[in-house]
């Protein structure tokens, strides 16, 4: 019964003492004792790693140095056997661990306590007597000295095996924080960065700071341009604004990291506890958590908004959805663009995968954890690239098909080609940096193991940890790789400036600074997106007022004639008109390539001829309600109150019959200088 109690106590102590080395004895080998303090005992062989996680006898000897005065002064006859039982335990049968008795520990501690206090040596927590089995026997016991057929004795020179990575004492972290490094729990990477010199890190930090300022300025300019004229950017181009806002926040976080240096991304050193500065991990650091949430959330949201931008282009180009129809899906777009990144961010926080970046000063994911890098960074970004490219190519193919199938004038052909080139350049400016970031992350995760092995081999003697066994390949990362990665993570937001940069933007900013903004600015983009007919849009004369379709006519499921190619006509600066106060001329152009179904069920080619008519009393002329079809109905020529005028014109693209158009000018509404034209009922008395 006593034997069972002793065995149970020993097992309990082995668990409570939290000795990871006990589980590392799969390559158990006895070796001669080389520790000077432990020679001449009842046993002469030991095993490593020992019970205090020392991987070899040299490391154990360094840890025993504070106790040399107590042993030399012989404050207790039990102090030497007790210390050797922990630092150089007896090598017994395979995998068997023996611990000293509790009474032995208590006698050694009580006899030498005053002397230890005199020399300033504290009793380590790992040697607390309550952790050992409750017995009263000397060490080693008689049963421990029985011959073992499993243990093999080797010379010190031949004792070399793969211990794996042992966390240095300087990098150990409190167990309740959930840190891990190179597969070892309660361990954290050193800070500053373990791969680069101090001068390289300083250069990298200033480089990232300068780039973040440039990208922050570019994306902020895009956002402010949107605020100056909110109605200018409608769907399908509205996602560009949200995309710019996301990367504006990304640039802002990197700029804050530049200002904070490593005060947030690194834990402060604690020399009194033999703790070096380590990388911040987990969510216990509130500032690091906030930087991570902002940076990761907006990085993912920016990539999702680019996918949504390609979706809106696809809807406008292929099924010919109008602006209103696409805008009805805005709530769904926002739910996906903000919901998916939010779910990923919350998941990473729950998994405690936050890591400090000592190079940039921010906190991110996947810097040391390869699993988090693959599943929470590479996979989402790669998926966004694939979906976005497929939709983008489909939209461009649809626009090219329109260009090839519909006969257009050279001027309008050039406009459509320019718009396709604009989409292509914008997409390339986004995809190239994003693909570069993905490539850098792939290269990093494939070489991370070699980099870490090389670092351990260079620092193992400094940290007094096992050196790598049979290293076949060594390599160190090039800092240019990391600089390129950070550069591309930031410049991916710059293409938004390319899209908004135009003469119209310059005109709006000039009007804004001069305080001459008109209250009722006619936004070309809104008019273009509401054109009732694609052919009309491309063939119209630039000086003709846009025939605008009334709001609310587009439906979600109905294909309209509006498409993303309407954006080819965007951003033209308003031309200065020198019209006299007494009159205004309305020019017209003909349209072709479409059919009009008349009341007698016949399809005839049709065209529109404008009216050039001088109105009395200085009033201006505005086109009547938008034409729902390409033709203009023939009006009755016997109107009582209107003046009739028949115009005959030869169409540029098709032969047409004479059409009669009647128009009557009415008084303008208050606050609006544009007069409306009303059709009078021919049958009205």
């Amino acid at each position: 019964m006593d034997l069972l109690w002793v065995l149970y106590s020993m097992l309990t102590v082995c668990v409570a003492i939290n000795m990871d080395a006990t589980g590392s004895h799969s390559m158990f080998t006895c070796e001669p004792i080389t520790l000077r303090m432990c020679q001449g005992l009842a046993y002469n062989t030991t095993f490593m790693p020992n019970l205090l996680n020392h991987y070899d006898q040299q490391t154990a000897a360094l840890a025993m140095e504070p106790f040399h005065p107590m042993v030399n002064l012989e404050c207790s006859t039990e102090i030497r056997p007790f210390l050797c039982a922990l630092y150089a335990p007896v090598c017994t049968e395979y995998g068997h661990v023996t611990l000293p008795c509790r009474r032995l520990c208590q006698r050694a501690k009580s006899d030498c306590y005053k002397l230890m206090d005199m020399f300033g040596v504290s009793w380590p927590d790992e040697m607390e007597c309550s952790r050992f089995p409750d017995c009263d026997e000397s060490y080693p016991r008689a049963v421990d000295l029985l011959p073992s057929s499993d243990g093999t004795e080797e010379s010190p020179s031949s004792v070399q095996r793969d211990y794996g990575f042992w966390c240095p004492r300087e990098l150990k972290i409190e167990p309740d924080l959930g840190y891990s490094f190179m597969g070892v729990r309660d361990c954290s990477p050193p800070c500053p960065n373990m791969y680069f010199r101090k001068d390289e890190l300083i250069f990298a930090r200033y480089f990232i700071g300068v780039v973040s300022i440039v990208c922050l300025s570019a994306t902020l300019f895009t956002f402010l341009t949107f605020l100056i004229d909110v109605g200018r950017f409608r769907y399908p181009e509205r996602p560009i604004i949200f995309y710019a806002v996301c990367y504006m926040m990304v640039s802002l976080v990197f700029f804050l990291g530049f200002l904070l240096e490593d005060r947030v991304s690194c834990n402060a050193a604690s020399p009194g506890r033999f703790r070096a500065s380590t990388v911040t991990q987990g969510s216990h650091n509130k500032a690091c958590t906030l930087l991570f949430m902002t940076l990761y959330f907006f990085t993912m949201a920016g990539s999702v908004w680019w996918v949504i931008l390609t979706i809106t282009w696809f809807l406008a180009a292929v099924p010919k959805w109008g602006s209103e129809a696409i805008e009805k899906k805005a709530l769904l777009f926002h739910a996906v663009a903000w919901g998916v990144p939010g779910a990923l961010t919350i998941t990473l926080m729950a998994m405690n995968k936050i890591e400090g970046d000592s190079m940039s000063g921010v906190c991110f994911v996947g810097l040391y954890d390869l699993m988090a890098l693959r599943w929470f960074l590479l996979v989402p970004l790669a998926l966004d690239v694939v979906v976005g490219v497929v939709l983008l190519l489909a939209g461009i193919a649809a626009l090219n098909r329109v260009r090839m199938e519909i006969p257009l004038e050279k001027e309008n052909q050039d406009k459509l080609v320019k718009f396709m080139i604009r989409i292509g350049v914008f997409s390339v400016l986004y995809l190239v940096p994003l693909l570069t970031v993905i490539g850098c992350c792939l290269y990093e995760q494939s070489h991370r193991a070699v980099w870490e092995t090389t670092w351990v081999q260079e620092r193992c003697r400094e940290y007094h940890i096992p050196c790598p066994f049979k290293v076949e390949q060594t390599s160190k990362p090039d800092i240019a790789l990391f600089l390129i990665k950070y550069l591309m993570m930031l410049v991916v937001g710059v293409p938004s400036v390319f899209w908004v940069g135009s003469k119209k933007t310059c005109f709006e900013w000039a009007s804004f600074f001069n305080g001459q903004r008109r209250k009722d600015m006619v936004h070309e983009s809104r008019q273009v997106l509401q054109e009732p007919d694609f052919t009309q849009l491309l063939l119209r004369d630039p000086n003709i007022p846009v025939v605008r379709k009334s709001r609310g006519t587009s439906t979600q499921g109905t294909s309209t004639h509006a498409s993303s190619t309407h954006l080819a006509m965007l951003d033209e600066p308003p031309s200065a008109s020198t019209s006299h106060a007494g009159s205004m001329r309305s020019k017209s152009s003909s349209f072709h390539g479409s059919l009009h179904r008349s009341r007698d069920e016949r399809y005839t080619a049709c065209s529109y001829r404008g009216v050039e008519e001088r109105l009395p009393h200085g009033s201006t002329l505005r086109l009547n309600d938008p034409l729902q079809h390409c033709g203009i109905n023939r009006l009755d020529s016997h109107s009582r109150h209107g003046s009739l005028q028949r115009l005959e014109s030869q169409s540029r693209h098709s032969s047409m019959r004479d059409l009669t158009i009647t128009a009557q000018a009415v008084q303008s509404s208050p606050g609006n200088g544009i007069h409306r034209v009303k059709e009078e009922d021919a049958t009205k008395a």
Side-chain angles (χ1 to χ4, degrees):
M1 189 68 180
D2 292 338
L3 180 60
L4 291 176
W5 173 252
V6 170
L7 293 176
Y8 174 76
S9 301
M10 292 175 61
L11 179 61
T12 304
V13 170
C14 289
V15 175
I17 207 168
N18 194 23
M19 304 258 179
D20 294 338
T22 305
S24 304
H25 290 165
S26 58
M27 302 186 71
F28 185 88
T29 304
C30 292
E31 56 185 80
I33 295 178
T34 59
L35 293 175
R36 182 166 54 95
M37 185 185 298
C38 297
Q39 292 180 347
L41 296 176
Y43 61 96
N44 58 6
T45 60
T46 185
F47 65 88
M48 290 290 158
N50 59 19
L51 301 179
L52 298 179
N53 289 345
H54 301 127
Y55 78 96
D56 61 3
Q57 296 189 55
Q58 289 80 8
T59 306
L62 293 175
M64 292 180 70
E65 287 183 357
F67 297 98
H68 281 187
M70 277 62 73
V71 174
N72 294 334
L73 295 176
E74 296 182 355
C75 61
S76 173
T77 58
E78 309 290 353
I79 186 67
R80 183 164 170 255
F82 174 72
L83 292 175
C84 292
L86 297 177
Y87 289 93
V90 61
C91 185
T92 59
E93 59 186 53
Y94 179 83
H96 182 65
V97 179
T98 60
L99 297 173
C101 290
R102 185 179 302 174
R103 305 292 173 79
L104 178 65
C105 173
Q106 292 173 347
R107 288 194 295 268
K109 182 178 180 181
S110 60
D111 293 342
C112 299
Y113 184 81
K114 293 182 179 179
L115 189 61
M116 292 175 62
D117 186 57
M118 185 183 301
F119 282 94
V121 179
S122 59
W123 193 264
D125 294 338
E126 295 84 357
M127 296 168 54
E128 187 61 36
C129 297
S130 60
R131 296 178 178 237
F132 302 108
D134 189 7
C135 60
D136 189 7
E137 296 184 52
S138 60
Y139 191 88
R141 303 179 187 87
V143 67
D144 297 334
L145 300 177
L146 294 178
S148 174
S149 59
D150 295 325
T152 57
E153 186 173 327
E154 299 181 7
S155 62
S157 59
S158 63
V159 177
Q160 186 177 7
R161 53 189 180 273
D162 188 7
Y163 294 99
F165 174 70
W166 285 56
C167 184
R169 180 182 183 182
E170 295 84 352
L171 304 182
K172 285 186 175 296
I173 303 295
E174 289 77 6
D176 58 338
L177 297 179
Y179 280 42
S180 65
F181 175 49
M182 294 179 63
V184 178
R185 297 183 59 183
D186 305 326
C187 189
S188 183
C191 199
N193 194 282
M194 53 192 278
Y195 299 126
F196 305 110
R197 302 187 309 270
K198 185 176 180 179
D199 58 329
E200 293 177 331
L201 294 176
I202 293 176
F203 173 78
R205 176 162 297 165
Y206 278 94
F207 175 81
I208 296 171
V210 172
V211 175
S212 65
I213 293 174
V214 174
C215 298
L216 179 62
S217 303
T219 51
L220 183 61
F221 172 79
T222 302
F223 182 58
L224 294 178
T225 302
F226 167 73
L227 293 181
I228 289 178
D229 189 359
V230 177
R232 173 185 170 189
F233 299 96
R234 300 185 63 199
Y235 287 94
E237 60 179 344
R238 177 65 65 84
I240 295 178
I241 304 302
F242 302 114
Y243 157 88
V245 171
C246 291
Y247 285 101
M248 179 180 68
M249 297 302 298
V250 170
S251 304
L252 179 61
V253 172
F254 275 105
F255 179 67
L256 291 177
F258 166 72
L259 297 178
L260 294 172
E261 297 182 347
D262 57 0
R263 289 191 291 271
V264 173
S265 59
C266 297
N267 298 315
S270 179
R273 302 175 59 188
F274 301 101
R275 299 287 172 81
S277 179
T278 56
V279 171
T280 302
Q281 296 186 31
S283 56
H284 68 94
N285 189 320
K286 299 302 183 291
C288 182
T289 303
L290 183 60
L291 289 178
F292 159 76
M293 291 174 58
T294 307
L295 180 58
Y296 182 78
F297 175 81
F298 283 104
T299 299
M300 293 294 104
S303 62
V304 175
W305 272 117
W306 182 80
V307 175
I308 293 176
L309 178 63
T310 60
I311 292 175
T312 57
W313 278 343
F314 176 82
L315 294 176
V318 179
K320 305 294 189 300
W321 282 29
S323 176
E324 294 86 354
I326 299 176
E327 193 167 359
K328 290 181 179 180
K329 303 293 184 181
L331 183 61
L332 178 61
F333 294 155
H334 282 276
V336 174
W338 306 122
V340 173
L344 292 175
T345 304
I346 294 174
T347 303
L348 285 171
M349 292 178 61
M351 297 175 63
N352 219 30
K353 296 296 183 180
I354 304 173
E355 297 171 342
D357 185 2
S358 58
M359 180 177 292
S360 63
V362 302
C363 294
F364 203 55
V365 62
L367 301 172
Y368 299 95
D369 191 334
L370 293 180
M371 187 275 292
L373 174 65
R374 295 188 188 105
W375 294 105
F376 290 93
L377 194 62
L378 289 176
V379 170
L381 292 180
L383 187 62
D384 290 342
V385 168
V386 172
V387 175
V389 168
V390 170
L391 294 173
L392 179 68
L393 294 179
I396 292 179
L399 295 181
N400 186 65
R401 187 165 57 252
V402 170
R403 184 180 66 87
M404 300 298 294
E405 293 179 358
I406 299 180
L408 305 175
E409 292 182 352
K410 186 177 186 306
E411 178 184 359
N412 298 303
Q413 284 273 8
D414 294 340
K415 289 181 179 179
L416 185 57
V417 171
K418 288 180 180 179
F419 175 70
M420 294 172 61
I421 294 175
R422 191 181 183 191
I423 293 178
V425 173
F426 176 82
S427 302
V428 169
L429 291 177
Y430 173 82
L431 288 174
V432 169
L434 186 60
L435 291 175
T436 304
V437 172
I438 295 176
C440 291
C441 292
L442 288 173
Y443 182 85
E444 183 179 349
Q445 68 98 22
S446 63
H447 290 75
R448 179 78 62 79
V450 178
W451 296 344
E452 292 174 346
T453 302
T454 304
W455 174 79
V456 173
Q457 187 179 35
E458 293 178 351
R459 307 296 294 274
C460 60
R461 291 173 178 82
E462 176 184 347
Y463 283 128
H464 303 291
I465 59 175
C467 294
F469 180 64
K470 294 182 179 179
V471 178
E472 299 179 356
Q473 181 182 1
T474 59
S475 175
K476 296 183 66 176
D478 191 351
I479 195 171
L481 173 71
F482 289 83
L483 294 180
I484 292 174
K485 183 180 74 171
Y486 290 117
L487 174 64
M488 296 304 170
M489 286 182 66
L490 289 167
V491 301
V492 73
V494 174
S496 60
V497 179
F498 167 80
W499 189 266
V500 302
S502 64
K503 294 180 180 179
K504 185 171 184 177
T505 299
C506 297
F507 172 80
E508 289 183 349
W509 276 99
S511 300
F512 176 77
F513 285 118
N514 293 333
Q516 299 176 355
R517 291 193 61 206
R518 292 170 294 177
K519 296 182 179 180
D520 297 323
M521 291 184 65
V522 180
H523 304 306
E524 186 80 8
S525 59
R526 300 180 64 178
Q527 291 181 342
V528 168
L529 288 172
Q530 295 174 1
E531 281 287 346
D533 191 86
F534 173 73
T535 312
Q536 281 188 351
L537 172 70
L538 293 179
L539 293 180
R540 73 176 180 87
D541 191 275
N543 296 321
I544 296 179
V546 180
V547 179
R548 183 174 176 180
K549 194 173 184 178
S550 61
R551 289 176 178 249
T553 57
S554 299
T555 58
Q556 293 185 19
T558 305
S559 297
T560 67
H561 291 287
S563 67
S564 63
T565 51
H566 298 161
L567 296 173
M569 316 295 280
L570 292 178
D571 296 333
E572 295 180 1
S575 59
S577 62
T578 59
S579 62
H580 298 283
S583 65
M584 171 182 173
R585 296 185 178 273
S586 173
K587 297 183 180 180
S588 63
S589 62
S590 60
F591 300 87
H592 80 288
S594 61
L595 295 177
H596 171 63
R597 184 175 183 178
S598 62
R599 293 185 177 180
D600 57 358
E601 301 297 324
R602 291 182 301 173
Y603 290 84
T604 59
C606 56
S607 63
Y608 168 70
R609 297 188 180 94
V611 180
E612 180 175 293
E613 180 179 3
R614 184 176 301 276
L615 298 176
H617 306 296
S619 60
T620 59
L621 178 64
R622 178 175 178 177
L623 293 180
N624 201 3
D625 294 338
L627 304 178
Q628 298 300 323
H629 302 285
C630 192
I632 300 178
N633 295 328
R634 186 178 302 273
L635 302 177
D636 191 1
S637 60
H638 301 287
S639 176
R640 176 183 301 181
H641 302 289
S643 63
L644 304 178
Q645 185 177 15
R646 182 175 300 274
L647 301 177
E648 295 181 359
S649 171
Q650 181 66 33
S651 175
R652 282 183 295 178
H653 302 287
S654 62
S655 62
M656 302 295 303
R657 292 292 183 181
D658 295 337
L659 298 176
T660 303
I661 298 178
T662 179
Q664 180 178 358
V666 296
Q667 292 183 354
S668 60
S669 58
N672 191 349
I674 302 177
H675 290 66
R676 301 182 179 276
V677 178
K678 295 185 176 179
E679 293 183 3
E680 294 231 326
D681 188 0
T683 62
K684 186 176 179 181

